[in-house]
């Protein structure tokens, strides 16, 4: 089990919890009330900073209900926070664009994260032939 040091920027948000055997993603909450009009951008403070272990990064993505509940899209689609972003003032934020007028309140669960090891160093070997079944194109269907 890894231990991660965490600093909270707000006493109003619930502390992070890991729910064993349910999901390995951990919910993050808005640490401020945010009102947005359709088309507006905001950085929503998440109220935490962390010291991730060396060789690890956090992947931050919206919850499955974020768009339905709040009408916002995470503008970087997936945030990656590496272990160098670990200072006392390195609060995590979720960059969002509103597609409708919306209100996000303190403690609303708006995104989630997981901790991942960095990708190993990879060597690319050029070849003229790949030795697996050709699925014929785009995505899982092979159709464009």
């Amino acid at each position: 089990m890894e231990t991660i040091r965490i600093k909270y920027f707000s006493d109003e948000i619930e502390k992070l919890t890991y729910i064993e055997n349910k999901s390995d993603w951990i919910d993050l909450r808005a640490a401020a009330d945010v009102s947005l009009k359709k088309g507006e951008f905001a950085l929503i403070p998440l109220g935490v900073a962390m010291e991730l272990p060396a060789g690890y990064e956090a992947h931050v993505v919206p919850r499955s209900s974020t768009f339905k509940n709040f009408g916002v899209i995470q503008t970087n689609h997936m945030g990656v926070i590496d272990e160098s972003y670990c200072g006392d003032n390195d609060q995590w934020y979720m960059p969002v664009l509103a597609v409708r007028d919306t209100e996000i309140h303190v403690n609303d669960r708006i995104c989630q994260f997981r901790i991942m090891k960095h990708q190993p160093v990879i060597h690319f070997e050029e070849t003229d032939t790949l030795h697996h079944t050709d699925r014929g194109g785009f995505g899982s269907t092979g159709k464009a």
Side-chain angles (χ1 to χ4, degrees), residues 85-126:
Y85 192 71
C86 62
D88 277 336
N89 296 309
D90 291 335
Q91 180 172 193
W92 292 12
Y93 290 84
M94 181 184 186
V96 299
L97 179 69
V99 298
R100 61 174 164 82
D101 292 358
T102 190
E103 298 275 334
I104 298 169
H105 300 288
V106 170
N107 220 33
D108 283 343
R109 295 182 301 159
I110 59 168
C111 58
Q112 58 191 337
F113 79 101
R114 69 185 308 184
I115 306 297
M116 304 289 294
K117 277 190 168 184
H118 288 301
Q119 178 171 285
V121 175
I122 295 174
H123 168 76
F124 291 99
E125 177 183 326
E126 190 171 341

Side-chain angles (χ1 to χ4, degrees), residues 19-84:
I19 303 170
E20 198 168 337
N21 298 322
K22 184 174 181 191
S23 174
D24 58 357
W25 290 85
I26 300 165
D27 288 337
L28 291 164
R29 297 169 181 274
D33 290 331
V34 178
S35 295
L36 294 167
K37 299 289 185 197
K38 180 179 179 178
E40 288 185 329
F41 169 82
L43 289 172
I44 299 175
L46 300 173
V48 297
M50 295 182 211
E51 288 181 2
L52 300 177
Y56 285 80
E57 62 195 25
H59 295 180
V60 180
V61 299
R63 298 181 76 243
S64 60
S65 61
T66 297
F67 183 76
K68 174 182 66 85
N69 290 342
F70 303 107
V72 296
I73 296 173
Q74 184 173 342
T75 58
N76 59 353
H77 303 292
M78 182 182 94
V80 177
I81 301 170
D82 69 27
E83 74 273 22
S84 70

Side-chain angles (χ1 to χ4, degrees), residues 124-131:
F124 291 99
E125 177 183 326
E126 190 171 341
T127 182
D128 291 329
T129 305
L130 300 174
H131 301 290

